[in-house]
Amino acid sequence: MSINLKGRSLISLKDYTPEEINYLIDLSISVKKEKHNNIRKERFKGMTIALLFEKRSTRTRCAFETAFGEEGGHTVFLSNSDIQLGAKESIEDTARILGRMFDCIQFRGFKTSNVEILAKYSGVPVYNGLTDDFHPTQALADIMTVREYFKTYKGIKIVYVGDGRNNVANSLMIACSKVGIDIRIASPKPLLPSENIVSLTRNFAEKSGSIVEITTDIKKAVKDADVIYTDVWASMGEEDKLADRIKLLKPYQVNKELMLLAGKEAIFMHCLPAVKGNEVTAEVIDGDKSEAWNQAENRKHSIKAIILATLGLV
Ligand code: CP
Ligand code: NVA
């Protein structure tokens, strides 16, 4: 089957078929090889991307800047204090202007509806670089890392531990259930995933032959894990909730004892940035079972793949 993603935006991976996601992962692995073999191409020469950031970023910004820039493209970084996004000018009008000047747009911010409006009114591919609900480019890098490490998705179980209703957990559940990775979320009751996401991903899992499980029992949850995954306890915009979250999530910390319950072969993943001593101990994230650093590098390759595919350059 030939896959054509030209002109598509990426708001959430729920809009992509398993075949399209697999195609993007193959492409990500192939552009990573090119980079590691020092094969230089100029596929973005003469092109421009607008990078809109309402929230801070290290990896996502640097991944977009380096992936696009190293192939001859020009990147324009625009923070909230640079442009009129929703302040003196509507998102619709901003989208219309950017669409006439740029080949594609990345948006990181609070509301998912803003990325949807940008995609609708700009007429160019728009990439969701994280909103309160989703982090799809992260999930692409996550499953790419799983593919590289285990060479397959079949029979692999990711146990995500911690805040089970944040953007990273939502997108991980979507990506895993689409491609056939088993996903289990272990969180305290107030932080379990929404019913919407659970039923949506169970539908996807039924088609891909994988399993979506939800539990509050952390010790049982990690027992047959191939991957233990966690994220920060308070996401950007939730800083005022941190004290409560520490109380709620302390038993869900990923430490050596928890990794031992999972077994010697289990690897550790984290989207980063990490708060060492909260959701994960330094010993685990800096240890030899941590794939977090490779996972971070994979942001760049998978982001290059989605831009190449949606601009019709492959
Ligand atoms: N994982 C991730 O999105 O990192 P940044 O917030 O640094 O972009
Ligand atoms: N859940 C985190 C992810 C950061 C990449 C946040 O939204 O802050």
Side-chain angles (χ1 to χ4, degrees), residues 140 224 245 273 283 288 304:
L140 282 177
D224 49 353
R245 292 285 171 78
E283 190 179 21
D288 60 356
K304 186 184 277 187

Side-chain angles (χ1 to χ4, degrees), residues 53 55-62 108 129-130 135 137-138 168 229 231 236 270-273 296 299:
F53 281 86
K55 292 180 178 174
R56 285 171 186 246
S57 167
T58 298
R59 278 144 290 272
T60 309
R61 177 181 176 179
C62 294
R108 164 172 289 202
L130 180 148
H135 198 1
T137 64
Q138 178 67 53
V168 168
Y229 193 127
D231 184 13
M236 288 180 275
H270 192 309
C271 57
L272 302 176
R299 298 295 311 287

Side-chain angles (χ1 to χ4, degrees), residues 177-190:
S177 58
K178 282 264 181 181
V179 300
I181 299 171
D182 293 342
I183 175 85
R184 184 181 286 158
I185 307 287
S187 308
K189 211 159 174 227

Side-chain angles (χ1 to χ4, degrees), residues 112-154:
T112 305
S113 58
N114 284 350
V115 204
E116 288 164 348
I117 295 169
L118 284 168
K120 184 166 173 197
Y121 290 93
S122 68
V124 296
V126 173
Y127 315 112
N128 178 354
L130 180 148
T131 57
D132 289 348
D133 308 307
F134 301 116
H135 198 1
T137 64
Q138 178 67 53
L140 282 177
D142 297 344
I143 60 170
M144 174 187 178
T145 308
V146 168
R147 251 273 299 274
E148 283 183 327
Y149 193 90
F150 296 101
K151 316 287 178 231
T152 181
Y153 296 138
K154 215 177 157 39

